[in-house]
Structure formats: structure tokens, C-alpha cells
Amino acid sequence: MAIWMDMTNSLHTWKGGVVGIVRAELEIAKNMKRCDPDVRFFKYDGEAFVEVGERELDWLWDCESVGDAYLTAMGRKQTAGLGVQSGEQSIEELRKAYPGLDNAYNFSTSRLHRAVWGLQLYANTLPSGIRGFTKALIDLIAAPLKKLSLWRAHRKAAKEVQMTEQKQPADSFSHPFRPDDLIFSCGWMYSGKEEGFEKVKQVMPSVFITYLIYDIILIRNNTKQFYDPIGSADFQRYFHWASMHCDALLYGGKTAMEDSQDYQKEKHLPIPPGYPIYF
């Protein structure tokens, strides 16, 4: 089993200077390497997951400032603010460039997850006398459908692998992971990685995917009004996807975990095992 850390946000998606989410990813990567020299790194380039070799990140391991080292390695300059003038992409540009979260939502397994979730929400509106029976019936019907969906996904993936071997297209999807590997991602949405993870899970269900959720202020009832509605809607989809597909979730502290799990309960989402971490 190998432990992999996702570096997509800082090494592929982000085109500007050093901001909080980038700095956090770099600091975590540096310290993970210090704690475990065998940790491996990767990025999603929009078509495939690609391993990032240890020597490619030599600039990070012994640096005094991850921000300065990042700017030097990427050949960039730090800017005073965010936005088009500072060289960073807008939300609209990122959504167009990396539609992977939208594509992930179109996978059959994702559609089935959302259908069952929607039916369970409807069942909660029924009178208490039939609510429990209806929810049990939904689970009973959904169980074989989930198995069928997984079987179809495996069969489709096997055919795609066979066709890939025959045609060997230059732009085919690929990844470096092996069964039972653990994947850790602390990046952000708009990178397209969710589409890639759906494909990995289709052919290799034993891969263990963990996301770090820093907080949910973009969708929490008493804070979401302070943020851009488009960004909040996108984060809602991102968090719903993580809740439905990740094997575990890490959180930026106990409060973030409690807020997230309260939200998951309120929306009747799956609640993966959660663990608070402290920076």
C-alpha cells in the first residue's frame, strides 16, 4: 500500500501567486514528506493522474519559506490582490477550464447516489407511521441497483481498458495507483480531479480516498450570505460529492467537523468517518 498526496491545485490548476489554499497544500506536503519519506505525490492534468517525482519537488523539501520557494520554482511574482489584473483566473474561467466536477456528477454511480438521496429526503416528509417503512423500502430497492451499477461500471471499465490496449491512444486516461492505496487531497474544487477519481474507483474500488475539508462557511446557514452565490453553489456540489464518494474526511478542526456533520445530517448525506486536524 502506498500513500499518495494530491498536488493538483498548486502544481497544475493555480496560475497566480501564493494564496492560503496553495500555502496550506505546500506546507502539508513538506511536512508529510518529513514524517514519511515514502509518501508519493501526484497531480491531475485534466486527462490523467501523473506522479510527481521526488526530485521535481526538491525546491520544497528544504526551503525556509514555501511561498518564496513556490514563486521561484513556478517563475512567478507575488501580487497584491486577487482577480484578473493579478494574473489569477476567475471562478468562471476555472469552471470552464476544469469541468471535472460536472462530469463526475454525470457518472452513473453519482446519479444513483443522488437519486437515492432525493428519495430519502422525500421519505422524511411523509407521516411518521409510514416514514420508516418507506425509507427501508428505498434502501431495499437501492441495494441491488447499487450492485448492478457497480457491475456495469466494472464491465465498462474493462472494455475501455481492452480498447485502450488495442488502440493505445496518446490521450487515454491513466493513473499510477494500485489496489488499497490511500489518496489524500487537500486542494480545492475547479481542478477536475473528481472526474478522475470516479474513473479510478470504477476499476479499483479498494483505493481509499480522503479529502481535507477546511470548513464549510460557504454553505453554512449563518455565513453563506457573505459569499458569492456561484462559489457557494459550486462548493455545495463539491462537498456533496466528497460526502458521497470519499472513504473518510479530514477537517480543519473540531468545529469544522461538527459543522460539516450537522450539515450532512440536515441534508441526509452520507457521513464518512471524520477526523479533525489542527494546523
Side-chain angles (χ1 to χ4, degrees):
M1 182 195 81
I3 297 175
W4 296 85
M5 179 174 170
D6 176 22
M7 301 289 289
T8 303
N9 192 55
S10 56
L11 298 186
H12 180 72
T13 307
W14 190 249
K15 306 301 182 184
V18 179
V19 293
I21 196 76
V22 170
R23 187 182 300 276
E25 186 171 274
L26 296 172
E27 290 282 7
I28 292 172
K30 179 180 177 180
N31 284 283
M32 282 188 68
K33 183 66 176 177
R34 182 179 297 166
C35 293
D36 184 358
D38 293 326
V39 170
R40 299 168 73 177
F41 300 88
F42 71 93
K43 64 181 179 181
Y44 184 67
D45 65 6
E47 295 181 351
F49 288 109
V50 181
E51 182 168 7
V52 179
E54 180 178 352
R55 296 190 63 180
E56 295 178 64
L57 295 172
D58 278 345
W59 53 269
L60 178 60
W61 307 139
D62 298 317
C63 68
E64 294 185 5
S65 167
V66 297
D68 292 342
Y70 177 74
L71 293 173
T72 300
M74 299 295 146
R76 301 174 193 166
K77 294 182 179 180
Q78 184 65 11
T79 53
L82 299 176
V84 176
Q85 292 181 346
S86 61
E88 284 113 15
Q89 294 170 286
S90 67
I91 288 178
E92 291 77 11
E93 290 172 328
L94 287 168
R95 293 174 85 233
K96 290 179 181 178
Y98 303 103
L101 186 56
D102 293 333
N103 294 341
Y105 258 60
N106 292 326
F107 272 73
S108 60
T109 50
S110 284
R111 292 197 298 268
L112 180 58
H113 274 302
R114 295 198 305 278
V116 173
W117 174 56
L119 290 172
Q120 292 287 7
L121 285 177
Y122 169 74
N124 285 326
T125 67
L126 299 175
S128 58
I130 61 172
R131 185 184 306 155
F133 170 77
T134 304
K135 295 180 75 172
L137 181 62
I138 292 171
D139 288 336
L140 182 65
I141 296 173
L145 291 177
K146 289 179 179 178
K147 292 183 179 179
L148 177 61
S149 178
L150 186 60
W151 175 79
R152 290 178 61 190
H154 286 178
R155 185 179 179 184
K156 180 180 178 181
K159 288 183 178 179
E160 290 177 350
V161 169
Q162 186 177 6
M163 292 178 62
T164 298
E165 292 176 347
Q166 293 173 351
K167 298 181 180 179
Q168 294 183 343
D171 58 346
S172 62
F173 175 77
S174 61
H175 64 84
F177 313 123
R178 294 292 178 266
D180 301 319
D181 280 1
L182 187 151
I183 297 171
F184 166 65
S185 178
C186 63
W188 193 236
M189 48 192 180
Y190 307 128
S191 69
K193 61 185 183 296
E194 286 73 33
E195 179 184 8
F197 286 145
E198 288 261 12
K199 293 179 180 180
V200 171
K201 276 287 195 179
Q202 279 190 345
V203 297
M204 207 172 292
S206 65
V207 167
F208 193 94
I209 298 178
T210 303
Y211 270 32
L212 171 59
I213 305 296
Y214 296 93
D215 56 55
I216 61 164
I217 56 176
L218 286 171
I219 56 175
R220 199 174 61 191
N221 286 332
N222 60 346
T223 54
K224 64 182 180 181
Q225 64 270 23
F226 300 115
Y227 295 91
D228 174 65
I230 295 176
S232 295
D234 287 346
F235 181 76
Q236 183 182 57
R237 298 184 75 196
Y238 176 79
F239 184 67
H240 284 209
W241 186 93
S243 298
M244 292 179 179
H245 294 87
C246 287
D247 299 287
L249 293 175
L250 303 179
Y251 297 97
K254 186 176 181 180
T255 299
M257 183 179 74
E258 292 174 346
D259 288 345
S260 298
Q261 293 181 343
D262 286 344
Y263 178 91
Q264 290 165 330
K265 290 176 184 177
E266 178 187 348
K267 301 297 183 181
H268 303 281
L269 291 166
I271 305 178
Y275 308 93
I277 61 174
Y278 302 93
F279 297 97

